[in-house]
Amino acid sequence: MFVMTIDQQGSTGDRDRVPDLISELAELTPSAFERSVGDELQGAVRDAADVVDIALHALRTGRWYVGIGVGTVSLPAGASPREGTGTGFVAARKAVEQAKTSGHQVPLSVVSGTMGKEAGSQSAGGEGVRACANAEAVLRLLGRLVQERTEAQWRVVDALRRQGTGRHGRQKQVAAELGISEQSVSRTVLRSGWQEEWAARPAAAMLLDYSHSRIAGSHSEGAQ
């Protein structure tokens, strides 16, 4: 399980957008997100592919800092994320703080909950730390793609997603829905990086899964 902490950018000069994002995420994932403090929300997510979906959805608007913690999670079934404990929660807190200091980079960070000797470069924990860094790099590349899309490109991309057709989509149906030519849809898909995004999403999820397996393994070894 992964922990995500998402904090609103520039909240002092903007309206509270937390309720809207919680509602949007409820349609995107079965994982529950709740306001944790101020203009921040938090949730524990079981599926790495869902983590990717949530992160890119939040990054799309350019209004959120996204922190992803990879570590141990203790959360009873049906409990509020605020009742959770474990290194994953600590890592998510550190991750969102790092995202806030990312400067001109995409404001997302992935942090390992591995600490102490478990984080040694030759250990399973060390492998987990490196996998977290690699996952962060891929997610930031994908985040750049989604943040740089124009409104016109998003109309086409959103229509493709509504078709439920995966990477390539049914461009003829989208063209009819939007009242534009298939050639326009094809050009927009090319310029939007849609196919590249969907080709790379599984890689980001795989890296998150691998980091989690190595970090969980390092904690198991440390408990022996």
Side-chain angles (χ1 to χ4, degrees):
M1 189 173 287
F2 306 88
V3 180
M4 299 187 71
T5 300
I6 305 173
D7 196 10
Q8 185 175 339
Q9 298 182 23
S11 56
T12 56
D14 194 5
R15 65 179 178 85
D16 181 5
R17 297 182 181 274
V18 170
D20 290 344
L21 184 57
I22 289 175
S23 296
E24 292 165 13
L25 295 184
E27 298 180 3
L28 193 67
T29 175
S31 302
F33 275 78
E34 294 182 3
R35 187 190 298 271
S36 50
V37 60
D39 295 312
E40 179 183 278
L41 58 154
Q42 188 173 67
V45 184
R46 188 170 300 278
D47 186 3
D50 280 356
V51 174
V52 176
D53 282 345
I54 294 162
L56 295 182
H57 181 83
L59 290 173
R60 168 176 175 169
T61 64
R63 295 191 176 106
W64 301 95
Y65 300 106
V66 179
I68 302 170
V70 184
T72 62
V73 175
S74 177
L75 184 66
S80 164
R82 288 173 293 184
E83 300 175 61
T85 59
T87 61
F89 287 91
V90 177
R93 165 58 49 203
K94 182 177 180 181
V96 78
E97 294 303 325
Q98 288 187 359
K100 293 177 184 179
T101 61
S102 58
H104 296 296
Q105 298 184 73
V106 172
L108 173 144
S109 184
V110 182
V111 170
S112 163
T114 304
M115 296 174 285
K117 293 182 179 179
E118 297 171 353
S121 61
Q122 303 303 316
S123 68
E127 291 180 17
V129 170
R130 290 192 295 274
C132 283
N134 291 334
E136 177 181 285
V138 175
L139 285 168
R140 281 185 170 180
L141 284 172
L142 292 173
R144 182 70 65 192
L145 274 178
V146 303
Q147 287 188 334
E148 291 182 349
R149 282 189 188 134
T150 65
E151 290 186 13
Q153 289 171 349
W154 272 116
R155 282 196 294 273
V156 170
V157 168
D158 287 339
L160 284 168
R161 296 199 68 173
R162 286 195 296 273
Q163 292 286 339
T165 52
R167 282 176 52 192
H168 300 292
R170 296 177 182 169
Q171 296 183 9
K172 184 175 182 179
Q173 287 90 328
V174 169
E177 176 186 338
L178 299 179
I180 59 179
S181 69
E182 288 185 58
Q183 291 81 5
S184 293
V185 172
S186 180
R187 286 195 299 270
T188 302
V189 168
L190 179 64
R191 292 169 182 167
S192 71
W194 160 257
Q195 293 180 354
E196 290 83 357
E197 175 195 336
W198 281 86
R201 277 173 172 253
M206 180 181 67
L207 286 165
L208 287 171
D209 272 333
Y210 180 73
S211 67
H212 187 274
S213 69
R214 302 310 290 161
I215 290 165
S218 73
H219 282 286
S220 296
E221 292 170 4
Q224 293 176 0

